[in-house]
Amino acid sequence: QVQLAESGGGLVQAGGSLRLSCAASGRYAMGWFRQAPGKEREFVAAIVWSGGRSYYADSVKGRFTISRDNAENTGYLQMNSLKPEDTAVYYCAGRTTPAWSDRLLKWNEYDSWGQGTQVTVSS
């Protein structure tokens, strides 16, 4: 199983930026999900092991960028132009199948999860 740990959340004003990090070991595809109070966990972005393919939810496309540095065993989610509706607990997740699959869009297809980090965007 992949061991994951997120960092980088916090409080930011609307229009601001944050970068989340996910420290992990192993060969895996990585996803980011978020969950707001009273709502279901939703897909944000995913990237394959090689970094050669990524996919974004429509709600964040053009504002968020997922990336990874395998030499540093770290994945990233750069979040720009943040909106109040981006407020949620953000989770990184690992799937031990490193290549692309539509299953990467589904939270229950991941093998491992981080503890989550809170992102709050004020208006």
Side-chain angles (χ1 to χ4, degrees), residues 18-95:
L18 282 174
R19 188 177 76 160
L20 306 183
S21 299
C22 178
S25 60
R27 186 179 177 89
Y28 60 97
M30 183 179 70
W32 286 92
F33 291 77
R34 66 186 183 187
Q35 188 165 18
K39 295 188 177 181
E40 295 186 352
R41 189 169 301 192
E42 66 171 349
F43 170 80
V44 175
I47 190 168
V48 298
W49 162 252
S50 68
R53 183 171 176 178
S54 58
Y55 192 84
Y56 298 89
D58 288 343
S59 59
V60 306
K61 200 172 295 182
R63 300 188 297 123
F64 291 11
T65 303
I66 189 172
S67 62
R68 64 191 305 158
D69 183 341
N70 291 338
E72 297 294 328
N73 291 324
T74 304
Y76 302 98
L77 184 68
Q78 177 67 44
M79 306 185 294
N80 298 330
S81 302
L82 283 161
K83 305 175 181 179
E85 51 263 44
D86 293 319
T87 295
V89 177
Y90 283 70
Y91 299 89
C92 68
R95 190 165 190 268

Side-chain angles (χ1 to χ4, degrees), residues 109-120:
E109 293 287 346
Y110 284 79
D111 306 301
S112 302
W113 291 84
Q115 79 285 357
T117 186
Q118 177 70 46
V119 171
T120 303

